[in-house]
Amino acid sequence: MGVPGRFFLTTPIYYVNDAPHLGTAYSTVNADALARWHRLIGDDTWFLTGTDEHGLKMARAAQEQGGSPQDWVDTMSRRYVESWAALKISNDDFIRTTEARHTSSVQQFMQAIYDNGYMHKGLYEGWYCVSCEAYYPEGDLAPGQLCPVHERPVEWLTEENWFFELSRFEQPLLEWYERHPEAIFPESRRNEALGIIRGGLQDISITRTSIDWGIPVPWDSAHVVYVWYDALINYITAIGYGADPDRFAKWWPAAHHLLGKDIIRFHCVWWPAMCLAAGIDPPAGFVVHGWLLVGGEKMSKTKLNQIDPVQLAGDIGVDALRYHLVREVALGADGDFTYEGLIARYNSDLANNLGNLLARVATVVGSKCGGSGSAPRPAGPGVRLSEVAVEVVSACRDAWARFAPNEALEATWRLVRTANAELEAIEPWKLPPGPAVDAVLGDALEALRIVALLVSPVMPSAAGELWSRIGLEGRPDEPGAAADGAGLLWGGYPAGRPVTKGAPLFPRRSSER
Ligand code: MSP
């Protein structure tokens, strides 16, 4: 989908009233790994994240703090910028919905929809959850008139506002999805979105007069744009909609939106309909992930079960946390987070497998080869590691293309385990220096070089460290380093490089905090 060689990836923009937590870090780290992979294979990549700052929830939270909404969102948004920097998120842009560029883009986009005849004024009444910033039909409420997501009381709101005529898009959306069968990953979420559309779409109320914390409606300044309607437009603001036509044409519609399963309706139903109404193509794809749960429940401010990802990274290491977030749960599924699970996987995959492989290789290169690495044998049927490496590289390419980064890591560890097994079988530490030792070490160093490239989207710092310990220059995450025909081909490790052992790359951890 999209233009080959071009990849525009977005995360949802996060509500600033909540602090970054492990659930939002899950979304952001997985997106970052995808973006880094695409840069590595040489795609022209643009990775966007940001914060969602309008709406009743923000206005009320700012009021409670006694400050101006703008000052308050400035402070709160900074926490996301800082947390994502601490987690080595490589976003190319960070959008805030209170920026002037966004106001201008939203107003132009809204005006286009209005001019195309898809807006009308009407009276709206309904049950509203302030935490979701969404109205719920009576039938969707949890028992006791509670929000189905937050299980808190909803409020009855009555307003005269502008409606977007979503009901006119049932057929156009079904036809669009028919023509784009791979637009939603995974398949089960596609069925969910199609189910919503087939179930019938109602016009939606997309402006508010009850608050003024929002973007003024261009043709009726007594109204501000409803927060969700404004938020979705961030994806095109950031690439120059209404401001820089060339930039916009470059990146749109080559966009993939990563999102949690709770916001499918907005992304996979509203947003493509909004695009069609404004006269632009819907985005190329939606990648829907599940929830990271704590004790079976979604992390959220209202449940007070949030974990601070930066603090956790301080404990275990940024790369180790990123590895866990990508490896443990398949994108699309829900998964329970436990500290014990994090430590167990750290010890088995990182300390015992990858860390141990590097330490062993460096030790034997030191004791048998004067600290200087040898070249791998040419790829071929007799060279087991070369065969496994070829299979693993192809499995990784396929897994990343299917938005299955956990499978890419799983495949990579096949190479790590095979390299360890080869060393154990041949026991070069027991052999005298000579060609037999050089051959096995050359192959193992080459496997480590390939592993450094393959893990670099997920563990950029550890990959860089691994790279320099085996004596390579530059970095494993140079754009295009894994382009077709480049660094992932067997045989790239040059002889004669200084190999250094250094401190353990991943020291073993105890599960006691
Ligand atoms: N502001 C809206 C998104 C607007 S996008 C145009 C919003 N913000 S949010 O901060 O509440 O959630 C942002 C994303 O974080 C959602 O995709 C949501 O699924 C994800 N997550 C929040 N908690 C999560 C978990 N516990 N686990 C996984 N993802 C989670 O919705």
Side-chain angles (χ1 to χ4, degrees):
M1 294 280 305
V3 180
R6 193 169 292 165
F7 192 67
F8 171 34
L9 181 71
T10 68
T11 73
I13 49 173
Y14 302 105
Y15 287 134
V16 285
N17 69 317
D18 222 350
H21 57 72
L22 203 58
T24 40
Y26 172 76
S27 221
T28 314
V29 166
N30 273 286
D32 185 57
L34 277 163
R36 285 175 179 270
W37 170 258
H38 280 270
R39 289 192 198 105
L40 196 69
I41 59 171
D43 283 351
D44 195 1
T45 301
W46 195 254
F47 173 32
L48 173 70
T49 188
T51 43
D52 190 353
E53 306 183 5
H54 287 129
L56 189 53
K57 185 159 56 174
M58 306 307 151
R60 282 192 185 164
Q63 210 171 31
E64 279 166 22
Q65 301 296 314
S68 83
Q70 190 62 55
D71 286 348
W72 185 75
V73 297
D74 286 350
T75 309
M76 304 302 277
S77 174
R78 218 171 294 131
R79 295 189 307 179
Y80 281 89
V81 173
E82 286 165 4
S83 295
W84 297 160
L87 297 182
K88 295 273 191 296
I89 302 302
S90 64
N91 50 298
D92 297 293
D93 191 1
F94 187 100
I95 187 159
R96 300 184 51 195
T97 54
T98 51
E99 289 173 287
R101 61 173 171 161
H102 187 57
T103 302
S104 156
S105 159
V106 167
Q107 290 184 328
Q108 292 183 65
F109 187 83
M110 298 274 293
Q111 189 68 48
I113 297 181
Y114 179 80
D115 292 344
N116 289 341
Y118 293 109
M119 299 281 191
H120 70 259
K121 208 169 189 178
L123 194 68
Y124 198 82
E125 293 191 300
W127 293 111
Y128 194 78
C129 169
V130 178
S131 294
C132 293
E133 296 279 15
Y135 281 101
Y136 282 100
E138 183 98 30
D140 287 359
L141 295 178
Q145 302 290 71
L146 301 179
C147 161
V149 175
H150 294 91
E151 292 170 3
R152 299 172 105 200
V154 288
E155 298 175 33
W156 184 258
L157 293 190
T158 307
E159 289 187 86
E160 188 185 47
N161 39 40
W162 286 92
F163 282 72
F164 169 55
E165 296 176 352
L166 182 65
S167 59
R168 291 169 61 188
F169 287 89
E170 263 173 54
Q171 213 41 46
L173 282 176
L174 290 174
E175 283 165 16
W176 188 81
Y177 277 118
E178 183 81 17
R179 288 199 306 278
H180 299 87
E182 290 178 356
I184 303 181
F185 168 89
E187 179 82 22
S188 56
R189 299 298 175 193
R190 171 187 158 83
N191 296 336
E192 189 176 329
L194 289 178
I196 297 175
I197 301 167
R198 289 197 188 108
L201 299 178
Q202 289 171 8
D203 295 344
I204 48 178
S205 138
I206 51 116
T207 71
R208 300 284 179 267
T209 49
S210 50
I211 54 169
D212 58 8
W213 180 239
I215 296 178
V217 172
W219 65 89
D220 187 348
S221 59
H223 294 245
V224 296
V225 180
Y226 166 51
V227 58
W228 259 106
Y229 212 76
D230 130 25
L232 289 161
I233 301 169
N234 90 85
Y235 298 134
I236 55 173
T237 299
I239 48 164
Y241 176 83
D244 184 343
D246 290 343
R247 210 160 90 79
F248 180 67
K250 173 176 178 186
W251 294 111
W252 197 263
H256 280 85
H257 301 312
L258 184 79
L259 55 128
K261 64 179 184 178
D262 47 331
I263 52 179
I264 287 186
R265 174 187 295 270
F266 300 108
H267 281 81
C268 305
V269 181
W270 289 26
W271 178 228
M274 289 161 67
C275 291
L276 291 172
I280 64 170
D281 283 330
F286 305 92
V287 183
V288 183
H289 65 73
W291 285 346
L292 203 60
L293 309 169
V294 176
E297 297 215 57
K298 181 171 182 254
M299 250 163 279
S300 72
K301 188 172 182 165
T302 45
K303 297 237 165 76
L304 296 175
N305 60 354
Q306 296 181 336
I307 298 170
D308 177 355
V310 177
Q311 208 180 330
L312 190 56
D315 250 19
I316 179 114
V318 172
D319 280 326
L321 175 62
R322 290 174 57 106
Y323 177 79
H324 188 77
L325 290 176
V326 178
R327 173 66 182 85
E328 192 69 13
V329 184
L331 269 192
D334 287 350
D336 226 328
F337 173 82
T338 65
Y339 191 73
E340 292 66 30
L342 168 70
I343 299 297
R345 190 171 277 290
Y346 173 93
N347 281 335
S348 75
D349 293 8
L350 300 182
N352 293 355
N353 265 305
L354 180 54
N356 193 25
L357 176 63
L358 172 66
R360 274 171 154 173
V361 170
T363 304
V364 189
V365 173
S367 63
K368 306 275 171 179
C369 316
S372 168
S374 42
R377 289 174 285 179
V383 183
R384 171 113 181 90
L385 271 185
S386 76
E387 290 179 304
V388 174
V390 170
E391 277 167 33
V392 161
V393 165
S394 131
C396 286
R397 288 194 192 281
D398 175 63
W400 284 106
R402 287 184 291 108
F403 304 105
N406 67 315
E407 289 182 34
L409 291 177
E410 206 178 322
T412 305
W413 257 254
R414 236 162 50 219
L415 183 57
V416 175
R417 279 194 304 271
T418 313
N420 269 322
E422 288 280 281
L423 289 174
E424 275 154 27
I426 297 170
E427 300 187 306
W429 43 86
K430 291 190 179 162
L431 301 177
V437 170
D438 290 350
V440 67
L441 290 177
D443 291 353
L445 283 160
E446 173 62 348
L448 279 169
R449 186 190 68 83
I450 291 175
V451 167
L453 287 166
L454 291 177
V455 300
S456 69
V458 181
M459 299 196 288
S461 308
E465 185 60 29
L466 182 51
W467 196 253
S468 61
R469 298 251 188 123
I470 60 172
L472 294 173
E473 281 158 13
R475 298 193 45 83
D477 57 357
E478 295 291 345
D484 278 341
L488 287 177
L489 296 179
W490 180 266
Y493 186 77
R497 293 297 163 97
V499 175
T500 39
K501 182 158 181 227
L505 196 53
F506 300 107
R508 271 190 75 81
R509 310 268 182 200
S510 126
S511 63
E512 280 164 31
R513 268 183 276 191

